[in-house]
Amino acid sequence: IRDKAELLSCQSERRFHQNIESPSGIKYHIIWSAHCIANNGNLPLILLIGQDISKEKQLEKQRDVAEVYLDSIISQIPEYVFWKNKDSVYLGCNDLLAKAAGLKTRDEIIGKTDEDFGWDPERIKRLKEIDKEVVTKGVSNTIEELIPLPSDDSKRTMITYKVPLRD
């Protein structure tokens, strides 16, 4: 406990984490909650409650590892991959799309909209309508169009398959 004096004065509850290893070598992650029940002027009565959150910590670590693998897989897919939120704001993309869009890194696309790429206003309007339909109706949509690539000023036929993603 960092501030023992505050706890001993019965002014607040304190929480802290502790890693414990049993004599048999089993490791536990405990979150402790210290409550001052009473203080009769001499010695306070403190209730200490511990909760084993080892499984939660293990699952968190597994999720972190899975997220790294998934991120690595997405970044290397040899097709253009991107995802947007319900407001058509980019949340991410893979390396290939970032390069084609003239971005230095994948993270640069986060928070951008189609307007940020200087595309034709009619194309942007059409894309937003399609995005809205995919999100509101929950249906997939395939689009084939000739698009400019800012990385080399060429035009390519792109087939975009949009699917709704849910939390």
Side-chain angles (χ1 to χ4, degrees):
I1 298 175
R2 290 186 186 135
D3 192 353
K4 292 178 187 175
E6 189 174 330
L7 176 63
L8 294 175
S9 69
C10 284
Q11 293 178 6
S12 67
E13 169 190 340
R14 286 286 175 226
R15 291 180 165 269
F16 58 97
H17 295 256
Q18 184 179 27
N19 291 317
I20 298 173
E21 187 171 339
S22 72
S24 62
I26 299 172
K27 295 181 181 179
Y28 297 95
H29 188 92
I30 309 294
I31 184 167
W32 296 97
S33 179
H35 305 267
C36 183
I37 305 290
N39 189 342
N40 65 4
N42 295 330
L43 294 175
L45 177 60
I46 297 174
L47 175 63
L48 190 61
I49 301 171
Q51 180 182 1
D52 181 5
I53 59 169
S54 303
K55 286 183 182 179
E56 290 87 347
K57 286 292 188 179
Q58 183 181 11
L59 287 173
E60 185 179 302
K61 186 176 179 180
Q62 288 172 349
R63 275 192 308 272
D64 290 346
V65 168
E67 188 175 311
V68 168
Y69 282 129
L70 183 58
D71 185 63
S72 178
I73 291 166
I74 289 171
S75 73
Q76 299 303 314
I77 292 174
E79 300 291 335
Y80 300 115
V81 178
F82 64 90
W83 53 102
K84 298 178 183 179
N85 68 14
K86 62 183 176 58
D87 299 315
S88 295
V89 176
Y90 287 91
L91 299 176
C93 70
N94 68 344
D95 292 346
L96 191 63
L97 184 89
K99 183 178 178 183
L103 304 173
K104 292 177 186 169
T105 68
R106 294 172 32 199
D107 291 338
E108 286 182 46
I109 203 165
I110 298 171
K112 290 191 183 301
T113 63
D114 293 333
E115 288 90 346
D116 294 317
F117 295 102
W119 296 334
D120 176 67
E122 282 302 312
R123 177 174 182 243
I124 292 170
K125 181 180 176 188
R126 190 175 68 255
L127 291 173
K128 283 190 176 203
E129 288 169 356
I130 294 166
D131 288 350
K132 186 176 181 181
E133 180 181 331
V134 168
V135 171
T136 58
K137 293 183 179 179
V139 296
S140 302
N141 198 319
T142 303
I143 308 158
E144 184 175 338
E145 62 181 339
L146 190 63
I147 65 160
L149 295 179
S151 59
D152 61 10
D153 293 326
S154 65
K155 290 191 176 192
R156 305 253 171 92
T157 299
M158 181 174 288
I159 299 173
T160 305
Y161 185 65
K162 294 187 175 198
V163 296
L165 300 176
R166 305 281 184 220
D167 288 338

